[in-house]
Amino acid sequence: MAKRRYLIAANWKMNGDQPLVDSMQAAIAETGYSPDEVEVLVCPPATLMANFNDAVEIGGQNFSQYASGAYTGEISANMLLDAGCRYVIVGHSERRELFAEDDSVVAQKFVAAARAGLRPVLCIGETLEQREQGETEAVLAEQLTAVATVSEADDWQQAVVAYEPVWAIGTGKTATPELAQSAHAFIRQWLADQPVTAAVANDLRILYGGSMKPGNAGTLLSQKDIDGGLIGGASLQPDDFTAIINAVSES
Ligand code: PGA
């Protein structure tokens, strides 16, 4: 069976400016990747979303679970759509840790994104302590359960999951391909057993995130259940990000 279409996603976090938009677009234009094989997504700060050409998909890094109204400083799903986004990252560990987004808020956002027609990129992952205690699968199941409890099977049709072990984010430590593959396989099986059919779970893309870079992207992306990457640090370097895009055809 052909592998799912890869998704290589840049999470710029609170970084980036117009010169980076320009240099990134120029570098991506030189990669010559096949859109049948790989989809490229950039999630820039909201202030830069409108500044990209059509060569890449654009996504939000966060949004409000509320539709509109008196929520100073917030951005709704429809506003992201209006700004040209097709995706939005939901439940990134930095949102969970630094902005107190708990499982319940993350679940509300997942549903709000899906029902507005945005594709949620649901981030889940364990801390180092949880991994060392042997709790990885229990933590992933708990984070998925929170979303499954409030969502319908249809909400998952366009969804993407990102396995992002917290201990690997921005630390330079990467999960080994075997360890990441095992977590991805667990997630896919969990989805097939719970909220969605086996066919939907089979089609759903599961990204790896956590210090993905040119040197490790190829082996990670060649794992059976790893369908792309959510890339932070390396996505701010056009050469590194495009090397990861190119790694798809080598994997
Ligand atoms: P990193 O970030 O690639 O810098 O580890 C990944 C992420 O936070 O999505």
Side-chain angles (χ1 to χ4, degrees):
M1 194 191 305
K3 210 174 161 182
R4 295 155 287 270
R5 189 179 177 215
Y6 282 93
L7 178 61
I8 301 296
N11 175 11
W12 281 10
K13 310 190 179 182
M14 200 169 73
N15 299 293
D17 51 16
Q18 188 58 42
L20 183 62
V21 173
D22 296 339
S23 55
M24 185 60 80
Q25 290 194 137
I28 289 172
E30 279 176 18
T31 56
Y33 70 88
S34 157
D36 290 340
E37 197 185 21
V38 52
E39 185 175 15
V40 177
L41 167 67
V42 179
C43 301
T47 48
L48 294 172
M49 282 170 183
N51 303 16
F52 283 82
N53 61 29
D54 290 342
V56 295
E57 296 291 351
I58 297 298
Q61 297 175 10
N62 178 41
F63 77 116
S64 168
Q65 65 271 43
Y66 306 117
S68 66
Y71 300 102
T72 301
E74 294 293 303
I75 295 179
S76 71
N78 280 333
M79 290 170 184
L80 290 180
L81 286 164
D82 196 37
C85 293
R86 287 188 69 198
Y87 288 86
V88 65
I89 298 170
V90 173
H92 189 279
S93 62
E94 287 153 17
R95 299 293 321 167
R96 293 178 190 259
E97 270 174 47
L98 305 173
F99 299 95
E101 284 192 16
D102 60 16
D103 274 346
S104 144
V105 169
V106 171
Q108 287 173 44
K109 290 190 177 190
F110 178 93
V111 170
R115 296 190 187 166
L118 272 174
R119 299 172 169 202
V121 179
L122 173 67
C123 299
I124 56 175
E126 80 288 0
T127 62
L128 185 58
E129 199 184 343
Q130 290 165 333
R131 171 156 289 277
E132 285 172 351
Q133 302 283 323
E135 293 168 1
T136 298
E137 292 187 353
V139 169
L140 297 177
E142 193 182 318
Q143 292 172 334
L144 288 167
T145 299
V147 178
T149 307
V150 298
S151 60
E152 306 284 340
D154 266 3
D155 299 325
W156 292 85
Q157 292 278 351
Q158 302 295 323
V160 174
V161 173
Y163 169 59
E164 297 217 311
V166 177
W167 49 270
I169 296 177
T171 58
K173 290 191 195 128
T174 316
T176 61
E178 297 72 29
L179 193 152
Q181 164 57 29
S182 141
H184 282 228
F186 172 81
I187 292 166
R188 197 178 304 286
Q189 188 59 49
W190 192 95
L191 291 170
D193 289 343
Q194 313 268 343
V196 301
T197 62
V200 171
N202 185 61
D203 287 346
L204 190 142
R205 289 174 296 181
I206 305 177
L207 314 183
Y208 169 79
S211 300
M212 187 183 268
K213 37 190 184 264
N216 59 31
T219 41
L220 284 163
L221 295 171
S222 62
Q223 302 301 307
K224 181 169 161 283
D225 288 291
I226 301 186
D227 308 310
L230 181 56
I231 301 134
S235 77
L236 297 170
Q237 309 294 334
D239 288 351
D240 286 353
F241 187 59
T242 51
I244 295 172
I245 296 171
N246 288 331
V248 167
S249 39
E250 290 146 28
S251 61

